[in-house]
Amino acid sequence: HSTDCTVCLNLWDTAGSERYDAITKNYLRDTFCVVCAYDVANPKSLDRIHTWLEQLHHYAQPQLRILVGCKADQQSIVTLAVADEFCTDHDMQFYGTTSAKSGSGVHGLFESIRDQAVAAIERHAREDVPLAYGIRKRGAAHAHSRKVYGCCAR
């Protein structure tokens, strides 16, 4: 990429727990990217993503919606074709699978998010379009009342 910038990712992991539902909608506002993860060994975990997608529809419209299979080090029951079809049906990108245990695919997932954020910044500079939700220029004034520390809004 030609843009010389630092990308700061703020990550919020609710682990799909319903006890975080009340605060999740606060984190969804002004979000550039949402990563929905399912367990490759548990088909029900892919079905539960519908609940998250409903929340996204009500509380946010992230530019980037990614589906990723987790626990790739285990026997996969959910095939890549099923996950890819899910993404096609729900307007998502399918990243593939990752394993926190072995580290496989994790770094690449975050590099992909970073690259797509930088591409949005470059598009903003090239075409004079508004920055995508969840992306802020370092030190740039913005409509929200958040303080800017370095590259990150807190």
Side-chain angles (χ1 to χ4, degrees):
H1 295 285
S2 61
T3 304
D4 182 23
C5 65
T6 299
V7 176
C8 178
L9 302 176
N10 289 307
L11 307 173
W12 306 101
D13 181 2
T14 63
S17 179
E18 291 179 12
R19 67 181 168 161
Y20 295 112
D21 283 353
I23 62 170
T24 299
K25 58 186 118 182
N26 293 326
Y27 294 119
L28 290 175
R29 288 190 201 110
D30 297 333
T31 298
F32 168 71
C33 174
V34 171
V35 178
C36 295
Y38 70 95
D39 180 343
V40 299
N42 182 356
K44 289 181 181 181
S45 68
L46 185 60
D47 293 337
R48 286 192 288 264
I49 294 198
H50 289 283
T51 304
W52 289 105
L53 295 176
E54 285 177 21
Q55 283 192 5
L56 281 177
H57 179 73
H58 290 294
Y59 300 109
Q61 293 299 317
Q63 181 173 327
L64 182 57
R65 297 172 359 149
I66 296 175
L67 180 69
V68 61
C70 296
K71 301 183 182 177
D73 51 279
Q74 296 183 6
Q75 176 79 29
S76 183
I77 296 172
V78 179
T79 66
L80 296 178
V82 167
D84 194 48
E85 182 178 345
F86 184 94
C87 287
T88 299
D89 293 345
H90 295 92
D91 192 29
M92 299 179 80
Q93 289 183 18
F94 181 50
Y95 173 76
T97 59
T98 62
S99 169
K101 186 175 184 178
S102 71
S104 172
V106 176
H107 188 73
L109 172 63
F110 292 109
E111 285 180 332
S112 175
I113 295 167
R114 177 208 56 209
D115 291 348
Q116 292 184 64
V118 169
I121 292 167
E122 289 176 340
R123 182 170 173 255
H124 164 73
R126 184 177 59 250
E127 299 175 16
D128 195 30
V129 295
L131 277 172
Y133 285 119
I135 297 179
R136 290 168 187 50
K137 286 185 176 180
R138 180 181 215 168
H142 46 82
H144 303 290
S145 61
R146 298 178 184 170
K147 293 182 181 178
V148 175
Y149 299 90
C151 65
C152 304
R154 294 185 192 189

